[in-house]
Structure formats: structure tokens, C-alpha cells
Amino acid sequence: MQSFFIKVAQKAELLYTLAQKKAEQEVKASNEKVNEAKEAWEKMKSSHQSAEEQYREAYRSYLGGQKTLALAR
């Protein structure tokens, strides 16, 4: 009878170990997805900032041209 309980305990320990490894793999995969999302966010943020700066430069250039036209009249 005692060997039965030992086998049950060993099986439970094995199942626990397998579940723990699976959980660790899932956490690792989730962390990788989070890192990929962070990188994508940073690229998008950088692209957005660049577009904003290009817009400001174009608008300044436009306003500069308007001033030049006003002075030329």
C-alpha cells in the first residue's frame, strides 16, 4: 500500500513539474509578445513624431512664403 502512495506522490510531482514548465513557457511567450508590442509602439511613436516635425517645417515654410508674398506686394 505504501508503494502505491509513493507512486501517486511521484506522479503528482511529475505533473506539477510539467505544469510549472508549461507555465514558464507561456510566461516567456507573453513577455516576448509584450517586448514586440513595445518595439512596435516605439517605432510608431517615432514615426508620428517625425511626421509632426515634417508638418511643422512645411507649415513654417508655407508661412515664410506668405510673408515673402505679402512683402513683395
Side-chain angles (χ1 to χ4, degrees):
M1 188 72 158
Q2 190 177 15
S3 67
F4 171 76
F5 290 118
I6 291 173
K7 287 181 181 180
V8 169
Q10 288 172 341
K11 187 173 183 178
E13 187 176 342
L14 178 62
L15 290 173
Y16 173 78
T17 301
L18 292 173
Q20 190 175 23
K21 286 180 181 180
K22 184 176 180 183
E24 288 171 357
Q25 289 173 344
E26 290 175 358
V27 167
K28 184 179 177 182
S30 292
N31 286 341
E32 288 174 0
K33 287 180 183 178
V34 167
N35 289 336
E36 289 172 5
K38 283 181 181 179
E39 288 176 15
W41 168 255
E42 289 299 324
K43 287 179 182 177
M44 184 181 72
K45 186 174 148 183
S46 176
S47 177
H48 179 76
Q49 289 172 340
S50 176
E52 282 182 333
E53 185 60 31
Q54 289 175 354
Y55 170 80
R56 282 193 286 275
E57 286 298 318
Y59 190 67
R60 285 186 201 118
S61 178
Y62 167 77
L63 290 178
Q66 292 295 317
K67 289 178 184 176
T68 303
L69 287 175
L71 292 175
R73 292 182 190 179

